[in-house]
Amino acid sequence: MKVIWKAKDFGQSFKNPVLTLGNFDGVHLGHQRIFKQVREKAKEIGGDSIAYTFEPHPVQMLKPEREPFLLLPIAERLRLIGELGIEVAICAPFTREFANLTAEEFVRDILHEQIGVREVFVGQNTTFGRNREGSVPLLKEFGQRFGFAVEAVEAVEVRGAVISSSRIRKLVRAGDVKGAAELLGRYPLLFGEVIHGHGRGSKKLGFPTANLKTASVLFPKPGIYAVWTIHDAQRYPAVANLGWNPTFHDRNFSIEVHILHFDKDIYGHLLRVEFVERLRDEVTFRGPEELITQIKKDVAQAKKILKVD
Ligand code: ADP
Ligand code: MG
């Protein structure tokens, strides 16, 4: 997938562009349905399939003090969109100037004049333009005026409710990674670089943990999880611990993974962690011995969940 990091002035022309528009945080099953329709339409009319998205997320620009809430860092969001067969991603820098474009200016100047869009697929509650004034009915009006078709794609429902990024965020925050996976169509993820901790895992406990420095995204609720860890294109079963290590009175929040059947120095390497199921809360033990006993139980439980030996 080609990525264009510009709001306009793309320096190229598109062929029969079929486009979708949105933040696509999580690239969940609802987004996936939209991308599929875009891809199929583009194929049918011999056009380019385009995802138009924004970075930073509008809320990050308008309220920078808010805690990280995104499900995915931008690089992974784009990678997943590319995996779904979209040919071009336009990633518009979401600046104040951009936020001030009226719905009409955005459609006329960018979608119509710059891109020459032929067909737009959007979710039913899509908004765009200043103060989110643009809606699907308004987009349809503009479509008639500027000569492009508009398809409102039906939302995907799971367990009787529509899938949305905010519904998934709630589940992840609550530690229900299994529920979140159902709406994402894959496990919730974290990425990070392996950094140095206190060196306690291997020396004191006999369970080394790769400590991660992650991008500023939403973390699952603190606790212990059965996870898959991807290192160097290989998947390993693992147990993750998100929390404050209360048994050792640590002050800093840490994200650590103990990879099963693994023994390599991976400081400085990148890991991807897929959260499968939450095992328990983090608790304070009277000392390392008790903690070790519990970790052994965690490992056994994670093996069962991940169906490995
Ligand atoms: P630190 O406090 O620096 O994280 P640890 O004692 O927890 O130190 O050891 C973690 C390091 O050990 C990891 O960063 C990695 O390089 C290495 N390591 C070896 N085997 C494993 C394993 N099975 N799981 C995680 N890390 C491992
Ligand atoms: Mg560690």
Side-chain angles (χ1 to χ4, degrees):
M1 184 177 68
K2 178 175 179 182
V3 180
I4 301 172
W5 295 92
K6 273 188 152 188
K8 52 182 180 179
D9 305 325
F10 306 112
Q12 73 166 89
S13 54
F14 301 103
K15 199 174 68 179
N16 286 342
V18 181
L19 177 143
T20 181
L21 175 71
N23 290 303
F24 308 120
D25 183 33
V27 193
H28 58 58
L29 290 175
H31 299 140
Q32 290 173 31
R33 176 182 280 178
I34 299 178
F35 292 128
K36 180 160 179 268
Q37 295 199 7
V38 167
R39 208 178 56 219
E40 285 171 359
K41 189 59 168 191
K43 193 166 170 212
E44 184 190 316
I45 66 171
D48 294 329
S49 53
I50 307 179
Y52 193 103
T53 190
F54 318 96
E55 166 67 13
H57 189 285
V59 173
Q60 284 175 310
M61 202 279 286
L62 299 167
K63 293 184 190 161
E65 69 287 354
R66 239 188 92 161
E67 284 194 357
F69 63 94
L70 291 179
L71 294 163
L72 294 172
I74 179 69
E76 182 64 7
R77 200 195 326 158
L78 294 173
R79 199 188 65 74
L80 287 168
I81 293 172
E83 249 182 21
L84 292 168
I86 298 296
E87 293 156 303
V88 180
I90 297 172
C91 197
F94 196 83
T95 57
R96 292 232 167 249
E97 188 197 351
F98 190 80
N100 276 326
L101 287 175
T102 64
E104 180 169 0
E105 285 165 342
F106 174 73
V107 172
R108 188 192 59 212
D109 299 356
I110 298 176
L111 298 190
H112 174 60
E113 284 178 10
Q114 296 254 338
I115 298 176
V117 75
R118 285 285 303 275
E119 187 140 355
V120 182
F121 287 78
V122 284
Q124 282 157 337
N125 51 8
T126 293
T127 59
F128 56 95
R130 191 170 62 196
N131 302 326
R132 310 174 67 183
E133 65 184 9
S135 59
V136 172
L138 191 63
L139 188 62
K140 287 189 169 164
E141 265 181 58
F142 291 140
Q144 295 211 324
R145 184 161 7 134
F146 298 117
F148 60 82
V150 175
E151 270 311 318
V153 178
E154 209 186 316
V156 178
E157 291 192 5
V158 169
R159 295 184 190 278
V162 164
I163 298 179
S164 67
S165 300
S166 55
R167 182 172 166 206
I168 299 169
R169 289 182 196 124
K170 259 190 216 147
L171 292 167
V172 170
R173 273 195 200 100
D176 185 358
V177 292
K178 221 173 155 181
E182 229 186 310
L183 314 190
L184 286 165
R186 58 177 162 73
Y187 299 117
L189 308 168
L190 282 183
F191 296 87
E193 186 194 327
V194 179
I195 52 168
H196 284 270
H198 297 283
R200 202 156 47 204
S202 37
K203 288 192 199 96
K204 211 163 184 167
L205 303 172
F207 286 97
T209 58
N211 294 34
L212 297 184
K213 188 176 111 193
T214 63
S216 66
V217 290
L218 183 69
F219 301 141
K221 180 180 175 178
I224 318 302
Y225 290 84
V227 302
W228 289 103
T229 295
I230 290 84
H231 169 255
D232 213 5
Q234 293 256 45
R235 280 165 81 82
Y236 301 92
V239 178
N241 177 36
L242 276 67
W244 292 269
N245 295 310
T247 303
F248 300 102
H249 314 292
D250 281 0
R251 292 223 178 87
N252 296 329
F253 184 79
S254 74
I255 297 171
E256 310 181 14
V257 283
H258 170 66
I259 308 170
L260 307 187
H261 312 303
F262 184 89
D263 183 16
K264 278 186 201 157
D265 180 331
I266 50 169
Y267 286 112
H269 293 215
L270 285 177
L271 294 187
R272 171 190 173 107
V273 182
E274 302 179 347
F275 288 79
V276 179
E277 198 170 322
R278 192 168 192 276
L279 304 180
R280 62 175 176 91
D281 283 331
E282 194 181 43
V283 292
T284 310
F285 294 99
R286 269 174 296 184
E289 289 312 318
E290 271 190 14
L291 174 56
I292 291 167
T293 307
Q294 181 60 50
I295 294 174
K296 286 182 182 156
K297 285 186 197 158
D298 294 339
V299 167
Q301 205 186 340
K303 281 181 178 170
K304 251 192 212 156
I305 290 165
L306 302 172
K307 302 188 177 72
V308 296
D309 293 325

